[in-house]
Amino acid sequence: MIETNRPAAAPAEDEPDLLRDQFRQLLRYRRLIGAGIGVGLLGGVYLGISTADTYVATTDVVLRAPTDDPFNPSLAPDKAINIGSERQVALSSSIANEAAKKLGVTSKDFAAFRAGLQVTNPPQTMVLRFTYTASSPKEAAKRANAMTDAYLLKRQEALDVTRDKMVKGYQDQRDPVAKQLDELVRQINGMPAGPARDAAYSSKTDLQSKVNTLNSNIAKLQALDMAPGRVTSAATPPGDDDGPGIVMSLALGAAVGLALGLLAAWVRLVFDPAPRSEGDVARALRAPVLGSLPKDKSPAGPLLAAGEEDPRLAEAFRSVAFRLAYDSRFADRRRLLVVAPRGSSEIAAAVAVNLAASFAETGKDVLLIEADLRTPVLASQLPTDAGGRPRWSQMPGGSGTGAPGAHGDSEWPDGRQLVVDAGESGAFDLIPGDRVRNVARALTSPRATRLISEADSPNSTVVVLAPPVLSYADALALVDRVDGVLVVCDPRAVHRTDLVRIRELITGAGGTVLGAVVHAPLPVEKRGRGKSKGAPAAAPPAPAPRPQQPAGPRQGAAEQHIPGDGTDTVALRTVRMGNR
């Protein structure tokens, strides 16, 4: 046997779907992205204006090490020259001072004069590139060449000083030995032949060798090529300014601003507690999003969407009802609890009413129970007619009366059953809510349980509307009597932690979250945000008048009860959690 009704589980999302979902969420923060682009464009304008009158001249210098044979490849130049140290020397203040003296730059402008120079070293070369930035092309070329000449001159002087010191050091070593050699030669000339003269000749040979070695070292130093380097590319006045131009600056600014805006939107998205998409809602509830009400079509007016000029809202409710009908967890017994997270439950009431109309349109016997006993309003907002009494009202022994105006008990449910005309969708029954002294006792009473059990009848469906689940515990008292819970929420007005808490509360009470219906903010709520916090809240609607009943034995006992005997209850204070 093939199973036709399968659970409406949350669809598994692959990585591309998650990335697309996150990108769509980033696009929700259009103001942040627009602000980032605006800042980037302002930066581009500043860059284009500030670099419009700057010119750059460049000079390349190839460094050389002192050598006696420039064609000898045995000595590598990069071993004899530390290019990093030479770059620092080129940027030093001594080089800038020498160039400033040559150009006549005053001490007042010396800091700006030195700041315009940049020295770089292309990789794997012995080249120093002098780059000077000035407000005039001629001035840039002139100062670049002056800096290059000053550096080469200083390097030449440093090499000459080093060579002169070494030559002087060898001469200082040679002069005492040469003097000693001359003295020994005079002595040898006056000595007679014999062993003493032979020993003197031996000493003379040693001294002569030392003098020859020192003279050779001095000759090598004096023969060195001390050229510090050569200019391979002299600076010439540039024909164009160095700035990227106003168009390129704006393009770069827009790109950088877009990146900054996306980064800011991503940070805002990470720290945003609200679910910004249907995927976030589904992941928090671990249940699918069964439908999304069209924008600007949230039921802020009549609760019933059938018969409206724009059929999109009614079709959205029919789609949700269709998906619920094919969920095996709901299709077996057809008991549905509709709740909102917190605040106003106006949209939840509209969803419950229109789902009841959609089920009635498919030919089912639908019973809508308004279990919101704190602010009941459905009876006054729906086109209703008095109908027959439900089966649970036929109490054993005929204690219930058949007249529509009579009630078997003063507590809810009191036997009233109304028929709601849903137009072309048909009609469904409504058990209107009523304010009671003890809400928990009324919701958990055997009569309420028997009323919800109407869905056990063939071709029957029961839809229960409860107050917001995080505001009151009323919905949790009904969870074990229904087959599934439908959460109606505005993703922008609820936190992910609230949805997780709703799921934990419902599953902890033995229920199941069938899915969610998301909607846009109500126009009334949008206007209400602009009001001052001190404005008084709207007064709750007055309770519906009860028909007069004859005082029976049970009522007489209630009127003559003794305080403190355990039968009296404390009236609950009605709290307004938003506009209904």
Side-chain angles (χ1 to χ4, degrees):
M1 181 177 180
I2 301 177
E3 181 183 0
T4 58
N5 295 334
R6 285 180 280 182
E13 295 182 278
D14 55 7
E15 186 173 352
D17 289 337
L18 291 176
L19 291 177
R20 284 191 292 269
D21 183 57
Q22 291 180 359
F23 185 74
R24 284 194 296 267
Q25 294 180 43
L26 288 178
L27 294 181
R28 294 178 181 269
Y29 301 101
R30 296 183 181 88
R31 293 184 179 179
L32 284 177
I33 297 176
I37 295 176
V39 172
L41 290 176
L42 290 177
V45 171
Y46 173 77
L47 177 63
I49 295 176
S50 61
T51 58
D53 57 349
T54 57
Y55 298 86
V56 176
T58 303
T59 303
D60 290 339
V61 177
V62 178
L63 302 183
R64 295 181 67 253
T67 179
D68 56 350
D69 185 1
F71 303 103
N72 183 10
S74 60
L75 181 61
D78 57 344
K79 302 296 182 182
I81 300 176
N82 189 333
I83 194 67
S85 299
E86 294 297 331
R87 178 178 174 275
Q88 295 299 323
V89 172
L91 291 171
S92 63
S93 59
S94 60
I95 303 299
N97 281 326
E98 190 68 23
K101 291 178 182 178
K102 182 178 179 180
L103 297 175
V105 178
T106 61
S107 58
K108 180 180 179 180
D109 301 329
F110 178 76
F113 171 74
R114 183 182 176 187
L117 176 66
Q118 290 184 351
V119 180
T120 57
N121 169 234
Q124 306 298 325
T125 64
M126 298 300 296
V127 176
L128 285 182
R129 180 165 295 166
F130 290 75
T131 303
Y132 199 91
T133 304
S135 58
S136 170
K138 293 183 178 180
E139 192 69 19
K142 181 179 178 181
R143 293 189 175 189
N145 290 325
M147 287 287 190
T148 303
D149 295 341
Y151 168 72
L152 291 177
L153 179 61
K154 281 293 183 180
R155 178 173 168 76
Q156 180 71 59
E157 291 177 356
L159 293 177
D160 290 341
V161 169
T162 301
R163 183 184 63 177
D164 293 342
K165 286 184 178 180
M166 294 185 66
V167 169
K168 185 177 183 304
Y170 283 134
Q171 290 176 349
D172 292 342
Q173 296 179 29
R174 183 197 62 181
D175 291 343
V177 177
K179 184 177 180 181
Q180 186 179 357
L181 178 61
D182 293 341
E183 184 66 25
L184 182 60
V185 169
R186 287 195 300 269
Q187 292 178 3
I188 291 175
N189 292 333
M191 287 183 180
R197 189 173 181 175
D198 294 338
Y201 270 113
S202 178
S203 298
K204 176 187 174 183
T205 302
D206 293 339
L207 292 176
Q208 187 66 47
S209 177
K210 291 181 179 180
V211 171
N212 293 338
T213 301
L214 292 174
N215 286 334
S216 176
N217 291 337
I218 293 173
K220 286 183 179 180
L221 287 174
Q222 292 176 344
L224 287 177
D225 182 5
M226 303 301 293
R230 71 179 187 275
V231 178
T232 60
S233 176
T236 57
D240 298 325
D241 55 35
D242 183 56
I246 188 65
V247 177
M248 184 61 68
S249 298
L250 289 176
L252 291 175
V256 174
L258 178 61
L260 291 176
L262 290 175
L263 177 61
W266 179 80
V267 173
R268 178 69 176 87
L269 176 64
V270 169
F271 291 98
D272 189 1
R276 307 301 297 187
S277 68
E278 296 182 4
D280 283 352
V281 175
R283 283 187 289 270
L285 290 175
R286 295 183 185 176
V289 176
L290 300 177
S292 177
L293 302 186
K295 293 183 179 179
D296 301 329
K297 293 296 179 182
S298 297
L303 291 181
L304 277 172
E308 295 291 329
E309 295 182 358
D310 191 348
R312 289 184 298 167
L313 187 59
E315 290 300 325
F317 288 120
R318 291 190 183 99
S319 176
V320 175
F322 179 80
R323 297 188 65 179
L324 285 172
Y326 278 84
D327 190 335
S328 61
R329 296 169 294 180
F330 173 76
D332 293 338
R333 296 196 299 172
R334 302 171 303 281
R335 299 173 182 173
L336 180 65
L337 178 65
V338 181
V339 293
R342 62 170 77 248
S344 173
S345 60
E346 182 176 351
I347 301 294
V351 171
V353 170
N354 286 277
L355 285 181
S358 299
F359 287 131
E361 191 175 8
T362 61
K364 295 185 179 298
D365 297 331
V366 182
L367 177 63
L368 174 60
I369 303 174
E370 185 181 15
D372 188 352
L373 306 183
R374 304 179 187 274
T375 55
V377 293
L378 291 186
S380 61
Q381 295 185 3
L382 293 175
T384 59
D385 293 326
R389 297 171 59 88
R391 287 189 295 273
W392 59 265
S393 62
Q394 302 297 334
M395 304 298 292
S399 58
T401 60
H407 304 281
D409 202 297
S410 60
E411 292 292 335
W412 183 91
D414 53 9
R416 286 189 302 162
Q417 180 170 341
L418 305 177
V419 178
V420 178
D421 182 10
E424 297 180 356
S425 299
F428 58 89
D429 296 334
L430 169 66
I431 303 297
D434 199 358
R435 296 189 180 182
V436 297
R437 302 186 62 185
N438 193 314
V439 176
R441 178 178 299 177
L443 294 177
T444 57
S445 64
R447 289 174 299 169
T449 303
R450 203 176 307 121
L451 181 63
I452 298 176
S453 300
E454 288 288 315
D456 293 339
S457 302
N459 202 37
S460 298
T461 300
V462 172
V463 180
V464 183
L465 173 65
V469 65
L470 295 180
S471 300
Y472 306 100
D474 301 355
L476 300 179
L478 299 169
V479 164
D480 59 345
R481 293 169 175 79
V482 297
D483 300 301
V485 180
L486 182 65
V487 180
V488 182
C489 65
D490 174 15
R492 297 175 180 267
V494 69
H495 292 178
R496 284 188 293 267
T497 54
D498 293 339
L499 297 178
V500 173
R501 185 184 174 195
I502 290 174
R503 173 179 55 81
E504 293 175 348
L505 290 174
I506 292 175
T507 55
T512 303
V513 179
L514 295 180
V517 174
V518 297
H519 61 86
L522 279 174
V524 178
E525 293 175 350
K526 293 180 181 179
R527 292 194 298 266
R529 292 189 185 120
K531 297 179 181 180
S532 60
K533 295 183 178 179
R546 291 179 173 272
Q548 298 293 331
Q549 304 182 38
R554 185 171 180 180
Q555 291 178 340
E559 294 175 358
Q560 299 177 3
H561 75 281
I562 301 174
D565 63 350
T567 61
D568 54 344
T569 59
V570 180
L572 297 177
R573 181 173 63 91
T574 301
V575 181
R576 293 287 294 174
M577 298 303 295
N579 294 328
R580 285 293 306 272

